[in-house]
Amino acid sequence: MNDHPVGSFYDQSAQREWERLERHRVEFLVTQRALLEHLTAANLQIADIGGGPGRYTIFLAGLGHHLTLVDLSQVEIRIALEQAERAGIAIGQTLQANALDLSSLPEAHFDAVLILGPLYHLQEEAERCQAVSQAMRILKPGGILFAAFITIFAPFRDYAATDPDTVFIERVEWLKMLQDGRNFGEGFPGAFFSHPDRLISFMEGCGLETIKMIGVEGVVAAHEEKINLLQGKVLDFWVELNYRLGEDPACWGAANHLLYIGQKPADKNA
């Protein structure tokens, strides 16, 4: 049994987490588009921290990169291995560990690090900075870090569509969350929602050099039903459109997820 509340949550919802990116194809495809743009070399060493059931691990391993998948949930790691085997793809290494402690991974070893989940579940700024610092430690100088955040507006948008009465009934707590980003409920343990205006300065304060930030849903957050049915060139057009629109800071608050892309400064002594 997983004794970490976040690990336990994902143990219980592991299959749903694998299926989530089928329901949110734009998030998945726009993130893939960003990975392809910034990971152009072959045979890269990549760590997927908090990679869950391995959607991005499997995608990148399928391109020939060497992947290390790290997650709190052993059930999600098992699903990742099963799905990779089904796809005929080998994951280089898996590790059950916390994003706050990556001491079992070698320093300055990885060409790229993904943290596309852990920062959703760290309510203290010091812990979020610790997670980024742990990722930076294992990243080579000049390496690329991809970090995902959920926007402060996302839960309001979701509840507006599904359960607006609850926001009114619990309005004191909801308005407080709008100020500090901390989720007060138990359905998504330790959740933290981020304001777009504060993310770049936060990540640069952790030592990164910003490349770009993208609102990965572009303009289609909560409006994906027909997009999910698209195929071929029409789908490709919408992915490219939302990738381009998602780079516009004016669209960041309209997205549910933000993808920050930054670079670890090169070693000046090299």
Side-chain angles (χ1 to χ4, degrees), residues 239-261:
V239 170
E240 189 63 31
L241 176 65
N242 282 293
Y243 186 82
R244 179 159 59 90
L245 293 175
E247 293 183 88
D248 186 339
C251 285
W252 290 347
N256 286 345
H257 296 82
L258 297 171
L259 178 65
Y260 174 91
I261 305 170

Side-chain angles (χ1 to χ4, degrees):
M1 183 175 178
N2 201 313
D3 59 2
H4 193 287
V6 175
S8 178
F9 171 80
Y10 284 108
D11 277 352
Q12 296 173 48
S13 59
Q15 185 60 37
R16 184 175 64 194
E17 185 64 18
W18 169 261
E19 295 167 355
R20 189 184 72 80
L21 290 176
E22 295 176 2
R23 300 191 302 274
H24 300 288
R25 293 177 71 201
V26 171
E27 176 191 344
F28 187 42
L29 294 171
V30 167
T31 302
Q32 285 183 333
R33 167 76 171 76
L35 295 171
L36 289 171
E37 178 176 344
H38 296 284
L39 301 177
T40 55
N43 303 314
L44 296 175
Q45 291 284 348
I46 302 174
D48 188 1
I49 310 302
R55 284 281 188 179
Y56 295 109
T57 289
I58 293 169
F59 168 68
L60 291 167
L63 298 176
H65 301 303
H66 307 284
L67 270 292
T68 295
L69 172 63
V70 179
D71 202 83
L72 274 170
S73 168
Q74 190 61 50
V75 178
E76 290 204 314
I77 291 173
R78 186 176 70 238
I79 288 177
L81 291 170
E82 291 170 352
Q83 292 290 345
E85 183 178 9
R86 191 171 300 167
I89 292 170
I91 297 175
Q93 178 185 9
T94 62
L95 175 66
Q96 185 180 13
N98 193 317
L100 296 175
D101 181 7
L102 301 178
S103 57
S104 57
L105 295 177
E107 183 174 352
H109 176 74
F110 294 95
D111 300 290
V113 175
L114 284 58
I115 42 176
L116 305 182
L119 299 171
Y120 306 164
H121 295 281
L122 298 170
Q123 294 186 335
E124 300 297 329
E125 182 169 322
E127 287 191 322
R128 294 192 297 278
C129 198
Q130 182 179 342
V132 175
S133 296
Q134 286 288 301
M136 291 273 281
R137 186 190 67 80
I138 66 173
L139 188 62
K140 295 177 180 177
I144 306 297
L145 186 142
F146 301 83
F149 300 84
I150 302 177
T151 70
I152 191 72
F153 310 111
F156 288 88
R157 190 157 36 241
D158 289 345
Y159 271 76
T162 61
D163 189 9
D165 287 344
T166 290
V167 178
F168 173 74
I169 293 167
E170 300 174 348
R171 58 192 177 278
V172 172
E173 292 87 353
W174 278 81
L175 292 174
K176 184 177 185 299
M177 184 177 71
L178 191 58
Q179 296 301 313
D180 63 20
R182 297 173 185 234
N183 178 36
F184 54 88
E186 298 180 358
F188 197 50
F192 179 78
F193 303 109
S194 303
H195 195 291
D197 286 351
R198 300 168 192 154
L199 286 181
I200 290 178
S201 61
F202 167 73
M203 295 298 284
E204 290 180 349
C206 294
L208 283 146
E209 297 174 348
T210 297
I211 296 173
K212 68 170 63 174
M213 191 162 73
I214 306 167
V216 294
E217 291 88 359
V219 294
V220 303
H223 299 280
E224 302 168 87
E225 185 174 347
K226 290 187 180 295
I227 299 293
N228 281 336
L229 301 176
L230 297 176
Q231 299 291 336
K233 292 183 178 180
V234 182
L235 177 61
D236 293 342
F237 167 81
W238 274 97
V239 170
E240 189 63 31
L241 176 65
N242 282 293
Y243 186 82
R244 179 159 59 90
L245 293 175
E247 293 183 88
D248 186 339
C251 285
W252 290 347
N256 286 345
H257 296 82
L258 297 171
L259 178 65
Y260 174 91
I261 305 170
Q263 187 170 34
K264 181 177 179 177
D267 188 347
K268 295 179 181 179
N269 297 320

